[in-house]
Amino acid sequence: MIESFDQFHFLRPLWLLALPVIALLWRFARPKRQTSEPAVQGIAPHLAKALQVGSGQTRRLVPIDGVMLCGLLIVLAVAGPTWSRVPNPLVAETAPLVVALKVTESMEQSDLAPSRLERSKFKILDLISARAGARTALIAYSGTAHRVAPLTEDPNILRPLLEGLSAAVMPVSGDAAGAALELAVDNIGTKNSPGAVLFVLDDMNPAQIATFTADRDPPRPPVIFLTALPSGSKLSQLGKVPNAKIVEMTADNSDILQIERAVRSAYAAALADDDRLDWDDCGWILGWPALLLILFWFRRGWTMKWLSIGMFGVWALAPQASYAEGWQDWFWTPDQQGQRALNHKEFSKAATLFQDPYLKGYSAYKAGQYAEASEIFAAQATADAAFAEGMARIRNREYRPAIAAFDKALERKPGWQEAEQNRDLAKFILDYVETSREQSDTGEDSGIGADDVVFDNAEAKGKDTVIEASDLDAPPLTSEQWISSIDTDMGKFLRSRFLLDNQGVRE
């Protein structure tokens, strides 16, 4: 809240010059107080006093006061008060978050049922569900730190990777929290992707604190610690980390709520310094009390007269060649109707109402119509549209076109970190699918029979290949069906990746 007051300003401050004008008009139009009562001839004074309405009383409020207050509210609303930025809905609806999970033997203790590590996994999954639509990355660390998954909005990608983590898959034992922080900062980015880093741990080597307290340029993102310890246990060394939020793991979701508030606060503070984003015009908030005050203006005579003149003026200025197809068209444009449907989470309806192509594609994306959204975004020549096309295609399991879309976004906006991260995610998923498909095609543990057909694409992996096959009864499997049919030990897969990381081999 304090940060919001620090960022408060007006988008159109010149309109504030109308405030003294309204004050002067009110000063001259307001009835003057009568200092003396008029004398009444021919009536006894006590009877004259009883016959006078409002005699001896001063009216504190008069109708012109309401007019003045309404005018002040309207001027302030038109001036455009604001205190926060408008985030791009397809880039981040909430702050991106990198979760660094400590995976050691100490985390497998059972003082938190079923174990500290398993309880931490449950909490991370709950946090991902609570942050629906936000991007989350996952890092695992012990003696070394490894990226498990880049920033993604899809919890279905993180869930199997998270479940495959155990102390046995980590190549080196120890506590490399500092290396995990550096890796998290590289993943989240501090300029183009403001967010926070969440450490889920049961202890920290005091020697690692130096990495958290070192000065950086630009400054590191905020750090939140979720301690996986029995109730009442504390880690005193974490208090030495400046501007860090320490949250104790609880049996309910109160710890999740604390983390969400801390992440939102960090995100709002970071967006305020991002000049690429527009300020959120909040003048509409002042419009509602102004409308309530207008309801008190319906007095006999002048109100109805001016209302009739105003309605006649609106009718005269309205285009006569257009005809409304519904009563809503009398008051709202198609884009305004689409925005109303979007606010009520009626995404399919919003996609049919919007005329703005970007908002139309975004509504189709939120409605799960990924193929339609991809086509809409592909027809637009902006970096945001190319990024949105990649997001829609990756949701539709079209990983290779998604990579091409993110490359197109980077051509239009070089150095865009969100596009690079999501392109890496698409490449990671495509590599995983192709690797699993290759293993399945070789017949390992599958018991290929003499009449089975196997496609060997090992040499041309990652390239478009044309294969002429006989007309079989079963259609070829889609990427989604391939993912569903994979029978791979995720722990072995992660251990192999981590060993390659230690050897300096790029994926």
Side-chain angles (χ1 to χ4, degrees):
M1 183 64 68
I2 297 178
E3 293 82 359
S4 299
F5 283 113
D6 293 338
Q7 300 296 332
F8 180 85
H9 64 281
F10 290 94
L11 298 177
R12 297 169 291 273
L14 290 179
W15 279 95
L16 298 177
L17 296 176
L19 293 179
V21 177
I22 293 177
L24 289 175
L25 292 175
W26 168 78
R27 177 70 177 83
F28 288 109
R30 197 175 195 275
K32 305 297 188 294
R33 293 181 56 184
Q34 296 182 359
T35 57
S36 60
E37 297 180 0
V40 180
Q41 302 294 332
I43 303 178
H46 65 284
L47 294 179
K49 184 177 181 180
L51 293 176
Q52 292 177 359
V53 179
S55 175
Q57 299 180 2
T58 302
R59 299 181 62 183
R60 296 182 179 180
L61 294 177
V62 293
I64 193 62
D65 296 339
V67 176
M68 183 270 301
L69 180 58
C70 184
L72 294 178
L73 291 174
I74 292 176
V75 169
L76 291 174
V78 174
T82 183
W83 52 85
S84 61
R85 300 273 187 177
V86 180
N88 187 329
L90 278 171
V91 174
E93 294 181 348
T94 58
L97 179 68
V98 177
V99 180
L101 174 61
K102 185 181 180 183
V103 185
T104 60
E105 293 182 356
S106 65
M107 287 287 288
E108 294 183 341
Q109 296 184 24
S110 58
D111 49 0
L112 283 181
S115 69
R116 295 178 180 179
L117 182 59
E118 293 302 318
R119 177 71 70 85
S120 300
K121 292 179 182 180
F122 294 150
K123 284 295 181 181
I124 294 173
L125 291 175
D126 291 342
L127 179 62
I128 294 172
S129 300
R131 287 167 39 84
R135 295 170 297 153
T136 307
L138 180 61
I139 291 174
Y141 75 95
S142 56
T144 53
H146 306 274
R147 184 180 71 171
V148 180
L151 288 171
T152 176
E153 297 179 3
D154 193 350
N156 295 323
I157 295 175
L158 296 174
R159 186 173 291 106
L161 296 170
L162 186 63
E163 293 174 352
L165 290 174
S166 66
V169 307
M170 305 304 294
V172 181
S173 60
D175 184 357
L181 177 63
E182 296 295 335
L183 184 58
V185 171
D186 292 339
N187 276 265
I188 198 170
T190 54
K191 287 185 177 180
N192 300 325
S193 183
V197 180
L198 171 65
F199 275 82
V200 185
L201 72 176
D202 62 346
D203 196 7
M204 180 183 288
N205 189 336
Q208 301 293 319
I209 299 295
T211 306
F212 289 82
T213 57
D215 294 333
R216 290 179 53 91
D217 187 22
R220 61 166 172 78
V223 176
I224 307 169
F225 294 105
L226 178 61
T227 57
L229 293 171
S231 178
S233 301
K234 297 183 181 298
L235 299 177
S236 59
Q237 61 267 39
L238 299 183
K240 300 178 182 179
V241 180
N243 300 323
K245 175 73 173 178
I246 303 174
V247 180
E248 295 184 10
M249 190 173 291
T250 61
D252 55 12
N253 67 337
S254 59
D255 49 357
I256 302 297
L257 297 177
Q258 292 183 60
I259 294 172
E260 284 191 284
R261 285 195 296 267
V263 175
R264 284 197 298 266
S265 177
Y267 186 53
L271 285 183
D273 298 328
D274 192 345
D275 295 333
R276 300 171 303 165
L277 302 175
D278 295 330
W279 287 98
D280 187 11
D281 190 345
C282 298
W284 61 271
I285 298 177
L286 300 176
W288 290 108
L291 289 176
L292 292 176
L293 288 172
I294 291 176
L295 296 178
F296 293 97
W297 291 5
F298 284 87
R299 302 182 63 82
R300 185 176 59 185
W302 66 272
T303 302
M304 296 305 298
K305 177 179 65 177
W306 286 108
L307 179 62
S308 301
I309 295 175
M311 292 182 64
F312 175 79
V314 171
W315 174 81
L317 296 176
Q320 301 297 323
S322 60
Y323 297 93
E325 297 179 357
W327 67 271
Q328 292 185 349
D329 296 332
W330 300 350
F331 304 99
W332 297 293
T333 65
D335 284 343
Q336 289 174 334
Q337 296 179 45
Q339 187 63 50
R340 286 169 56 87
L342 189 64
N343 294 340
H344 290 85
K345 297 184 178 181
E346 300 174 356
F347 303 118
S348 298
K349 181 179 178 181
T352 60
L353 291 172
F354 271 121
Q355 291 183 346
D356 183 280
Y358 187 85
L359 294 175
K360 189 178 188 69
Y362 174 68
S363 301
Y365 173 87
K366 296 294 290 185
Q369 302 169 4
Y370 302 123
E372 294 81 353
S374 301
E375 297 300 326
I376 295 173
F377 288 127
Q380 303 175 46
T382 64
D384 287 340
F387 180 91
E389 179 192 353
M391 296 295 295
R393 292 195 183 280
I394 203 172
R395 285 294 185 91
N396 204 35
R397 311 286 187 182
E398 302 176 33
Y399 303 116
R400 207 178 303 279
I403 296 172
F406 289 125
D407 286 336
K408 184 167 54 176
L410 289 170
E411 290 177 2
R412 297 171 179 174
K413 186 178 180 181
W416 194 0
Q417 193 162 5
E418 287 90 348
E420 293 176 354
Q421 292 168 346
N422 283 279
R423 182 187 60 183
D424 293 343
L425 173 64
K427 289 181 177 179
F428 169 77
I429 300 174
L430 180 63
D431 179 72
Y432 181 74
V433 172
E434 294 287 351
T435 301
S436 302
R437 181 181 300 179
E438 176 185 330
Q439 294 174 354
S440 177
D441 287 346
T442 58
E444 296 178 3
D445 301 327
S446 60
I448 297 177
D451 297 329
D452 293 333
V453 177
V454 177
F455 295 93
D456 187 0
N457 192 27
E459 296 182 357
K461 173 183 172 183
K463 299 180 180 179
D464 294 332
T465 305
V466 178
I467 300 176
E468 294 184 7
S470 59
D471 187 11
L472 302 177
D473 293 335
L477 295 179
T478 63
S479 298
E480 185 173 0
Q481 291 170 330
W482 272 109
I483 292 178
S484 301
S485 64
I486 291 172
D487 185 13
T488 305
D489 188 340
M490 186 60 69
K492 293 181 180 179
F493 172 75
L494 291 174
R495 181 170 177 80
S496 300
R497 282 190 55 205
F498 297 164
L499 287 172
L500 291 175
D501 288 344
N502 281 352
Q503 296 172 6
V505 178
R506 295 179 61 89
E507 297 182 4

